[in-house]
Amino acid sequence: MGKMKEIYMEMLEKEQYETQHGTPPEPIDTDIKCPNCMKGNLMFIAVDDVVCYEAGCGQTYVLVDANTVRFK
């Protein structure tokens, strides 16, 4: 029980630090194919920052709804 409490406290401290210092969130992989290169899936960072990390692409998008993006 003591180890779980330590892990939980570390998670809370990390979350509090990120909110205070504005640390960007980690990218989340989506199921949306990149409309530009049609090779890789897009990575969600924020609603107005969805990026294709496929080699040679790097296009950024804005999330319109759950499965739709538009060019930034």
Side-chain angles (χ1 to χ4, degrees), residues 47 62-70:
V47 174
V62 175
L63 192 65
V64 176
D65 64 22
N67 293 317
T68 309
V69 293
R70 66 177 172 84

Side-chain angles (χ1 to χ4, degrees), residues 5 12 18 21 26 30 33 39 42-43 50 53-54 60 66 69:
K5 186 175 182 180
L12 287 179
E18 288 175 353
H21 297 288
E26 294 183 22
T30 64
K33 285 277 188 202
K39 292 180 184 174
L42 298 175
M43 298 295 280
V50 181
Y53 285 120
E54 196 64 39
T60 57
V69 293

Side-chain angles (χ1 to χ4, degrees), residues 2 4 6-7 10-14 16 18 22-23 29-30 36 38-39 53 58 61-63 69-70 72:
M4 291 301 290
E6 274 184 47
I7 293 170
E10 287 174 8
M11 285 176 28
L12 287 179
E13 288 174 2
K14 180 181 176 189
Q16 186 178 25
E18 288 175 353
T23 307
D29 192 22
T30 64
N36 189 42
M38 297 301 289
K39 292 180 184 174
Y53 285 120
Y61 300 94
V62 175
L63 192 65
V69 293
R70 66 177 172 84
K72 193 170 187 180

